[in-house]
Amino acid sequence: MDITPEQAEAALDSAHQARRQVADEVGLPRAYWWAMAAGWIVLGAVGAAAPAWAAGAATLLFGAGHAALASRLLDGRRRTARLQVSRAVAGGRIPFVVVGMLVAFVGVTVLAGLALDADGADHAAIWAAVLVAAVVGFGGPEILRVLRRWVRA
């Protein structure tokens, strides 16, 4: 069987499109984002009510737990809600996107806490944490999807 160059190119294009569609399915389950939101609120409460050393320790534990969980979920080897893919298909940038999101969420939490405190709000750290937790819980998957598209991950 002879294959024309146009047929070969069309077949390769189809294969690349299918790979992109599969890679788009990689993400974190909705439960992950709600667990992250709950942890964010707990950290806000610990930061507001506990001594600085306890808040620091809780933050380190939260970060370590998140790193372990996210690395298992994003490595491409675990089954997501719709499929299981290899690390090569999943791409190596996704963990960096998630970490970047978390750093941005920390920044938003700090800025919101400072703004609420300057406005005289009671429990500013907790309210800032609740604000960011709502964004994480309701919008985490969508934010990740948009950021992945922006950085082509």
Side-chain angles (χ1 to χ4, degrees), residues 92-102 143-144 147-148 151 153:
R93 292 183 185 173
I94 296 170
F96 295 111
V97 173
V98 172
V99 169
M101 283 176 62
L102 293 177
I143 294 168
L144 178 61
L147 290 176
R148 285 185 60 208
V151 299

Side-chain angles (χ1 to χ4, degrees), residues 30-113:
R30 180 68 70 174
Y32 163 85
W33 295 103
W34 284 110
M36 173 81 70
W40 216 270
I41 293 171
V42 169
L43 280 179
V46 169
W53 67 266
T59 301
L60 289 175
L61 287 172
F62 180 76
H66 171 264
L69 180 63
S71 67
R72 290 179 54 89
L73 291 172
L74 286 175
D75 71 357
R77 296 185 194 130
R78 304 283 186 261
R79 180 164 297 281
T80 63
R82 297 181 63 185
L83 70 120
Q84 180 177 353
V85 298
S86 70
R87 180 174 280 220
V89 172
R93 292 183 185 173
I94 296 170
F96 295 111
V97 173
V98 172
V99 169
M101 283 176 62
L102 293 177
V103 169
F105 289 146
V106 167
V108 170
T109 305
V110 169
L111 290 175

